[in-house]
């Protein structure tokens, strides 16, 4: 791995019409920011909204292939940063939860509710051929090729039925024997399976949601166990599944482990292994875990918005760690801040955070116009479900943020919202065109990114600056929107302020509730903190889950625990200048 450190150059800085361009830079580092920036398709039905979910990424011929629900095709990348759409007439791309696997140097594909199996040796061409039918009634399928040449099929998407698996003949792809039930529902014990944004059993009425028939025998809302995925590492089989439902911020992927592909399976003590219920982009469920070309593991999962429709969703990618005891965990701490994409094998993937802090949280802003209920603050509150909207999509509509101090800016993420769109499906010419500039004094401006001639659809555009700049003001000016009004769910500025980190948190206390799936944390507020990052796990050196809290608060209840486990917790305060050392606590 090359230079994943900040290299400080000469002290000389160049003043350039308002923004001071610094000589310090991030050498040989490329980053991305969740949710990832792909051309999320507008759905084919009303209301007009974008959707992508249930992602499967496969490394094939040293390149990455991303298959996802109802996107009119699939995506291709050489670097995990830039993704190009591949269209095809050969695959049922309007189905949910597709999956792919490499077998004998060919790429195989199958999708939910469809028994047809396809293959190709040239996915970039969009040409696939029918292989056979797998006569299994299934939803959310997953094909797994073991390193001994045997092939297995996993599936399940139900609030009643388990995740199942069966071996397939490696030549005919017909089932060998009867399906085996592998993962059952245990929401009464495992808090991460309980429904609700906060695993609290609350079912909010969402557009497009079906809530009838979702009570269990105890009167609790039934969760969904779905989206099976399998990885094998060091002789262990890691069978992953999503829960409690795609519409919830708590949507996560949990994992069971076995020494055999068809079990029996034991729930991992580190669960959910991919979990991100708070922050800007929430959700990490129904995804896939894959290795990059260097052998590093990553997890891609589904992000919920669910404002216009329950199935309004996006995608996020996180580094994955296997510790010395074989526990699997996704690094979702500060998981919607910039991550480094390495150019080699990384010994510790938790070092892949770029180290840049959020500079734009709740900062004042000036806009060209706004619609009542969609004020500028909604673009700066770290909530993807709310947004600012100008009155029109006309050229010249703008938003300008005051960071309230001159800070060092490394990257900016522009998250567009689809206010008053009528677009259905894809069409030629969908493009975001804008000018992004900055200023030290609010009078003299320097262009950071001129995309006034862009031909690309950039719903979550992310700009990593070639060199960091010093600025106080950041302005985004519309040239053209694909459809609807000029609207943003988040204009997120990343870098470092020159001030002090907040003070370390004091007096962290943790109380396990009568419902042992939950614990309540309280602490003394740390002066000058933007928010708090809580880590928790089964041992002080295994604090792999995280929970982020923004704003002026000193308590949170976490309801995603295993009722049978003991937990340790730590809390760290953060602001625009950095993160404090963690303070540790334990509950029994």
């Amino acid at each position: 791995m090359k230079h994943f450190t900040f290299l400080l150059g000469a002290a000389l800085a160049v003043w350039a019409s308002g923004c001071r361009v610094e000589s310090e830079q991030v050498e040989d580092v490329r980053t991305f920011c969740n949710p990832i920036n792909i051309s999320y398709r507008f759905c084919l039905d009303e209301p007009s909204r974008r959707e992508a979910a249930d992602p499967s990424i496969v490394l094939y011929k040293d390149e990455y292939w991303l298959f996802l629900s109802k996107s009119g095709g699939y995506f291709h990348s050489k670097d995990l940063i830039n993704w190009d759409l591949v269209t095809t007439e050969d695959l049922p791309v309007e189905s949910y939860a597709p999956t792919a696997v490499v077998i004998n140097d060919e790429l195989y594909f199958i999708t939910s509710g469809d028994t047809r199996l396809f293959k190709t040796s040239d996915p970039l061409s969009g040409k696939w051929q029918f292989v056979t039918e797998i006569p299994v009634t299934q939803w959310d399928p997953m094909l797994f090729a073991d390193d001994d040449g045997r092939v297995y099929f996993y599936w399940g998407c139900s609030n009643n039925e388990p995740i199942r698996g069966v071996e397939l003949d490696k030549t005919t792809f017909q089932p060998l024997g009867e399906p085996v039930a592998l993962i059952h529902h245990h929401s009464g014990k495992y808090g991460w399976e309980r429904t609700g944004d906060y695993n609290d059993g609350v079912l909010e009425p969402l557009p497009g949601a079906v809530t009838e028939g979702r009570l269990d025998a105890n009167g609790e809302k039934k969760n969904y166990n779905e989206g099976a995925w399998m990885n094998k590492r060091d002789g262990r089989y890691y069978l992953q599944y999503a829960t409690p439902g795609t519409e919830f911020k708590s949507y996560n992927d949990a994992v069971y482990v076995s020494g055999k592909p068809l079990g029996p399976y034991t729930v991992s003590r580190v669960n959910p292994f991919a979990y991100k219920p708070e922050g800007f982009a929430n959700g990490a469920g129904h995804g896939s875990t894959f290795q990059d070309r260097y052998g590093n593991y990553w997890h891609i999962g589904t992000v919920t918005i669910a404002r216009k429709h329950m199935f309004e969703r996006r995608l996020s990618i996180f580094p994955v760690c296997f510790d010395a005891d074989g526990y699997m965990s996704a690094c979702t701490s500060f998981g919607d801040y910039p991550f480094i994409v390495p150019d080699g094998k990384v010994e510790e993937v938790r070092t892949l955070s770029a180290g840049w802090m959020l500079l734009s949280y709740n900062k004042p802003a000036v806009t060209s116009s706004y619609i009542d209920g969609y004020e500028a603050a909604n673009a700066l509150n770290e909530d993807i479900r709310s947004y600012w909207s100008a009155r029109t999509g006309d050229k010249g509509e703008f938003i300008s943020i005051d960071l309230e101090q001159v800070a060092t800016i490394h990257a900016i993420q522009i998250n567009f919202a689809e206010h008053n769109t009528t677009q259905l499906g894809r069409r030629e010419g969908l493009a975001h065109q804008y000018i992004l500039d900055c200023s030290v004094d609010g009078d003299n401006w320097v262009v950071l990114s001129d995309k006034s001639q862009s031909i690309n659809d950039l719903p979550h555009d992310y700009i990593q600056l070639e060199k960091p700049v010093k600025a106080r003001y950041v302005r985004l000016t519309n040239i053209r929107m694909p459809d609807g009004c000029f609207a943003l769910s988040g204009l997120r500025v990343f870098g470092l302020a020159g001030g002090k980190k907040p003070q370390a948190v004091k007096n962290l206390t943790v109380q396990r509730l009568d419902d042992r799936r939950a614990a309540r944390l309280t602490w003394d507020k740390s002066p000058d903190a933007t928010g708090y990052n809580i880590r928790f796990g089964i041992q002080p050196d295994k604090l792999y889950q995280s929970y982020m809290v923004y704003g002026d608060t000193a308590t949170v209840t976490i309801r995603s625990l295993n009722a049978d486990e003991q937990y340790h917790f730590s809390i760290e305060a953060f602001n625009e200048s950095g993160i404090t050392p963690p303070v540790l606590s334990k509950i029994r």
Side-chain angles (χ1 to χ4, degrees), residues 36-40 50 314 414-418 432 457-461:
I36 63 171
N37 184 38
I38 64 172
S39 179
Y40 298 90
R50 294 181 188 260
R314 303 292 191 266
I414 304 168
N415 300 274
F416 290 98
E418 280 73 55
H432 292 88
D457 186 27
L458 305 168
H460 296 276
D461 203 9

Side-chain angles (χ1 to χ4, degrees), residues 222 288 306 341 447 512:
K222 292 180 181 179
S288 58
V341 177
V447 173
R512 195 71 172 261

Side-chain angles (χ1 to χ4, degrees), residues 129-317:
Q129 66 182 81
F130 170 75
V131 177
T132 188
E133 293 196 15
I134 301 177
V136 175
T137 301
Q138 52 77 17
W139 204 258
D140 289 4
M142 194 276 168
L143 279 166
F144 171 68
D146 206 344
D147 50 19
D148 61 3
R150 298 167 77 173
V151 178
Y152 298 86
F153 194 47
Y154 303 92
W155 69 94
C157 178
S158 172
N159 59 7
N160 295 298
E161 298 298 319
I163 302 294
R164 292 185 169 92
V166 70
E167 184 177 0
L168 302 180
D169 183 282
K170 64 182 180 181
T171 302
T172 66
F173 295 97
Q174 301 305 294
L176 299 175
E178 295 297 317
V180 180
L182 302 175
I183 297 178
H184 294 271
H185 294 248
H186 293 290
S187 61
K189 180 188 296 186
Y190 304 147
W192 63 84
E193 290 190 359
R194 197 179 183 200
T195 57
D197 274 344
Y198 304 100
N199 300 114
D200 53 10
V202 174
L203 277 176
E204 297 289 347
L206 295 172
V210 177
T211 58
E212 295 180 1
R214 291 192 63 179
L215 293 179
D216 63 18
N218 298 318
E220 284 207 353
K221 311 300 186 296
K222 292 180 181 179
N223 66 293
Y224 267 75
N225 285 0
E226 57 194 42
W229 189 266
M230 173 67 80
N231 291 93
K232 183 182 182 182
R233 185 179 183 274
D234 292 341
R236 294 185 180 97
Y237 295 86
Y238 295 83
L239 180 57
Q240 300 143 58
Y241 72 107
T243 187
T246 191
E247 69 268 38
F248 301 123
K249 297 201 297 183
S250 62
Y251 200 36
N252 67 81
D253 272 349
V255 61
Y256 281 60
V257 184
S258 177
K260 299 179 181 179
L262 293 178
Y265 279 87
T266 302
V267 67
S268 173
R269 293 183 66 198
V270 175
N271 260 322
F273 89 89
Y275 174 69
K276 192 182 179 303
E278 289 290 10
F280 177 71
N282 309 129
H286 197 147
S288 58
T289 303
F290 64 97
Q291 286 182 277
D292 64 23
R293 61 170 61 97
Y294 309 112
N296 304 303
Y297 282 88
W298 299 83
H299 180 76
I300 183 169
T302 304
V303 171
T304 179
I305 299 179
R307 181 182 175 93
K308 296 182 177 180
H309 190 277
M310 184 179 74
F311 286 168
E312 185 182 8
R313 300 173 286 184
R314 303 292 191 266
L315 305 176
S316 287
I317 297 178

Side-chain angles (χ1 to χ4, degrees), residues 324-394:
D325 296 317
Y327 289 115
M328 174 185 189
S329 61
C331 305
T332 60
S333 184
F334 294 94
D336 47 33
Y337 287 32
F339 279 116
I340 294 168
V341 177
D343 58 359
K345 188 71 173 70
V346 181
E347 294 303 320
E348 177 51 75
V349 298
R350 297 181 195 280
T351 63
L352 292 180
S353 169
W356 306 327
M357 305 307 294
L358 183 70
L359 305 176
S360 49
Y361 176 67
N362 276 356
K363 292 302 172 65
V366 175
T367 63
S368 53
S369 66
Y370 67 89
I371 298 172
D372 288 343
Y374 300 91
E375 290 82 5
N378 290 343
L380 303 164
N381 63 0
E382 285 298 281
D383 182 359
I384 200 171
R385 291 179 170 179
S386 68
Y387 58 87
W388 160 74
S389 179
R391 292 194 184 98
T392 74
D394 295 346

Side-chain angles (χ1 to χ4, degrees), residues 399-424:
I399 180 171
S400 178
I401 307 173
D402 179 0
L403 302 179
E404 298 186 308
Q405 62 181 316
V406 175
T408 302
I409 300 172
H410 286 268
I412 297 172
Q413 187 189 42
I414 304 168
N415 300 274
F416 290 98
E418 280 73 55
H419 188 66
N420 284 346
T421 58
T422 59
Q423 176 68 30
L424 301 178

